[in-house]
Amino acid sequence: MAMRCLLSRLNCKEYKNWIKAGYCLSLLKSSLQTFIESEMKSFHQRLCREIPQGLPRTRCQCKARGKQFNPACPVCVEWKKIILKHHTNKNGEIHWGNCKPSLWPTNYWEVAKVYMPRGHADTAGPQLCDAAALLNLINACDRFREFNQSKVREVIKCRNELMHSSDMNVSSNWLKDFGQRLQNLIFEFRHVPGIHDEGKRIQEVLKSDWLVEDFGYEVDGLVMESTQTHEEIPMLIMYETEQQLIQQLLKEIYLQIEEQVEEQESLSEKDFDSVQKVKAFLSEHVDLQSNLQATLEKLDILQRTHVSLEGEGCP
Ligand SMILES: [Zn+2]
């Protein structure tokens, strides 16, 4: 029963499109990680040189929270100024809470995280980032201003559509358009080592059928028979990508609700629907639930906090 359920799920065209798009983003991410690491290390060195010398030496105990950061020591005052100077959207939302300010002078990644969206406080380096984090960093930090940012923003927009599709379905036309935007981005970053090859793999993925028959892995107790899809994409890759994507989708929903709790805003009908849809989907697919249980429980606790806050009369 679980096996039939799994096969029918992975052979639904629009659902498979959704997974394919996620897989393409993960291929893009792998080719950007080393590049981002080296660029941000150089950027950090440059910023260190821009910090005025001879600042009074006091022990930094500054803490950032959410979108707020009021530096309490002279070193952080200068770092905040300089980080903002290189931000391409100084008046937009800046998630200072992603980083530990006391580490700015010594840790390049704590600086890089200021240019990322909410929810990256625990991301220890580019190798642990998803494509969205890296693309937003490229878009927000003027280190990358030589690149055509509209190409970057187009892919960010597609990625957000993908993650806000609580039905977990995208049409073939959407996928085709997404593929074109990815190729435009890859062309823009064509000097990055390895990106050309990943671009080819992305094209292959997008034009393949990924027709699933049986598979020969044991996945959470499900023993399967053959090992490949017709297009030679190992079944395990599809299954892993599927889990990662749903995990990301739940994380996005979580961050959105967490922000509303902090800002004491009401949960919109759309947010509530998204949670219900994903939960309903997971309740129909038991094989996915075991790996996502911890995330679902976290989301449940947060939702209950939100409901109780609303009950206490928050606006
Ligand atoms: Zn400080």
Side-chain angles (χ1 to χ4, degrees):
M1 177 61 196
M3 174 68 173
R4 269 208 308 278
C5 191
L6 184 62
L7 288 177
S8 91
R9 181 174 81 236
L10 293 181
N11 274 321
C12 164
K13 181 97 181 153
E14 285 77 17
Y15 182 67
K16 194 157 45 178
N17 287 343
W18 188 71
I19 300 175
K20 272 188 188 179
Y23 184 54
C24 291
L25 282 173
S26 76
L27 292 175
L28 175 73
K29 167 195 79 174
S30 340
S31 56
L32 287 175
Q33 284 165 332
T34 310
F35 166 69
I36 296 282
E37 183 178 0
S38 113
E39 286 297 307
M40 292 316 286
K41 278 182 178 168
S42 311
F43 176 70
H44 182 254
Q45 284 168 3
R46 181 181 150 195
L47 262 51
C48 288
R49 289 193 295 271
E50 287 182 37
I51 295 289
Q53 300 299 304
L55 292 169
R57 284 183 177 267
T58 50
R59 187 162 166 252
C60 171
Q61 291 182 303
C62 304
K63 294 236 175 338
R65 188 177 154 75
K67 290 175 250 173
Q68 303 296 324
F69 177 51
N70 297 310
C73 81
V75 175
C76 287
V77 168
E78 294 303 324
W79 271 99
K80 182 178 179 181
K81 267 193 242 167
I82 225 143
I83 286 171
L84 274 177
K85 186 178 134 195
H86 293 281
H87 206 292
T88 59
N89 188 15
K90 297 175 185 56
N91 301 319
E93 291 188 347
I94 297 178
H95 296 281
W96 299 100
N98 277 343
C99 57
K100 296 182 183 72
S102 62
L103 298 178
W104 282 337
T106 52
N107 185 328
Y108 85 101
W109 195 245
E110 291 301 322
V111 174
K113 288 194 291 184
V114 185
Y115 300 98
M116 289 187 179
R118 182 188 175 87
H120 288 282
D122 299 325
T123 313
Q127 311 306 333
L128 298 170
C129 282
D130 62 12
L134 301 180
L135 292 173
N136 276 285
L137 165 66
I138 290 173
N139 187 233
C141 176
D142 72 0
R143 170 80 186 182
F144 304 98
R145 67 182 154 211
E146 70 191 87
F147 298 102
N148 181 343
Q149 292 298 327
S150 70
K151 308 284 182 222
V152 180
R153 283 194 291 270
E154 281 177 11
V155 176
I156 294 175
K157 184 171 167 280
C158 288
R159 184 266 173 200
N160 290 344
E161 286 168 0
L162 198 69
M163 281 297 122
H164 296 157
S165 157
S166 47
D167 295 329
M168 294 176 262
N169 281 336
V170 291
S171 71
S172 297
N173 279 341
W174 185 94
L175 190 67
K176 196 174 161 205
D177 182 55
F178 170 65
Q180 187 53 56
R181 286 164 203 257
L182 274 183
Q183 293 305 331
N184 293 345
L185 176 82
I186 286 169
F187 185 72
E188 191 60 33
F189 286 81
R190 57 193 174 279
H191 75 281
V192 172
I195 204 166
H196 178 71
D197 292 341
E198 293 299 0
K200 278 194 192 161
R201 285 182 69 194
I202 287 172
Q203 275 176 334
E204 282 161 19
V205 168
L206 291 175
K207 69 178 188 221
S208 69
D209 277 342
W210 274 16
L211 183 60
V212 183
E213 287 184 316
D214 288 329
F215 33 121
Y217 297 91
E218 183 168 333
V219 182
D220 292 337
L222 300 170
V223 181
M224 298 144 192
E225 287 165 8
S226 91
T227 56
Q228 304 274 310
T229 64
H230 278 326
E231 305 292 338
E232 303 204 339
I233 295 292
M235 192 63 234
L236 200 57
I237 289 183
M238 281 183 78
Y239 191 71
E240 282 173 356
T241 307
E242 181 187 30
Q243 300 222 9
Q244 283 164 9
L245 266 182
I246 299 175
Q247 188 78 260
Q248 278 176 30
L249 186 76
L250 290 171
K251 187 183 168 195
E252 293 274 312
I253 296 174
Y254 183 89
L255 289 171
Q256 211 161 334
I257 300 179
E258 188 185 53
E259 190 166 18
Q260 284 160 334
V261 168
E262 280 173 18
E263 311 263 325
Q264 301 191 344
E265 287 171 359
S266 296
L267 197 61
S268 74
E269 209 165 305
K270 195 168 161 272
D271 295 326
F272 187 75
D273 271 4
S274 306
V275 178
Q276 295 311 105
K277 275 185 187 167
V278 180
K279 280 187 178 171
F281 175 84
L282 290 175
S283 69
E284 286 168 21
H285 301 281
V286 281
D287 58 300
L288 285 171
Q289 279 178 23
S290 55
N291 288 330
L292 298 167
Q293 205 54 44
T295 315
L296 277 171
E297 276 166 19
K298 226 175 118 192
L299 186 61
D300 272 342
I301 293 170
L302 185 68
Q303 246 189 313
R304 282 202 295 276
T305 311
H306 193 278
V307 169
S308 67
L309 278 175
E310 285 202 306
E312 283 166 18
C314 288

